[in-house]
Amino acid sequence: MFDSPTPPTLLAKLTALPGKDNEVAALLAELAQEVRAEPGNVVFTVHRLRDDQNVFLVYEVYEDEHAFQAHMSTTHGLTFNERIETLVEGGASQLTWLTSNAT
């Protein structure tokens, strides 16, 4: 899946539906604790847009593809994805894969 020499790194964007931002924030806070405890997680940082509190950006880094695949199959991750279906635009987070541009 990953052909980059950098570890799996992504940005997940979630846009809360009107009036659901606090609920999404609480779910992300719970998820962050669980993900940060995963053996292969390097970074899991939740951000909110300053100018639009309905938009959340999550920066994630995993040690390798195996760690990311393990993350994708966790009970807490699957439960989170089910719970946000009716809380965010499109029913899920939008993922953007990143590669290092270091020289």
Side-chain angles (χ1 to χ4, degrees):
M1 176 181 206
F2 301 100
D3 57 1
S4 172
T6 59
T9 305
L10 65 123
L11 189 64
K13 179 181 178 184
L14 300 94
T15 303
L17 295 172
K20 300 297 183 180
D21 59 310
N22 290 333
E23 193 170 350
V24 172
L27 291 173
L28 280 167
E30 291 175 25
L31 181 67
Q33 289 182 343
E34 296 285 348
V35 174
R36 290 177 187 143
E38 293 174 16
N41 178 258
V42 177
V43 176
F44 190 93
T45 308
V46 179
H47 301 270
R48 230 170 159 167
L49 289 188
R50 184 179 298 181
D51 297 331
D52 187 347
Q53 293 288 297
N54 288 325
V55 179
F56 298 83
L57 299 172
V58 183
Y59 178 69
E60 304 178 47
V61 181
Y62 298 88
E63 287 179 357
D64 53 28
E65 182 178 352
H66 176 75
F68 176 72
Q69 293 301 329
H71 162 72
M72 291 301 292
S73 64
T74 62
T75 300
H76 54 265
L78 296 170
T79 300
F80 173 82
N81 286 332
E82 288 176 9
R83 292 174 74 186
I84 64 166
E85 285 180 356
T86 60
L87 302 176
V88 300
E89 289 180 5
S93 57
Q94 301 167 345
L95 305 182
T96 301
W97 292 98
L98 307 172
T99 58
S100 174
N101 197 32
T103 56

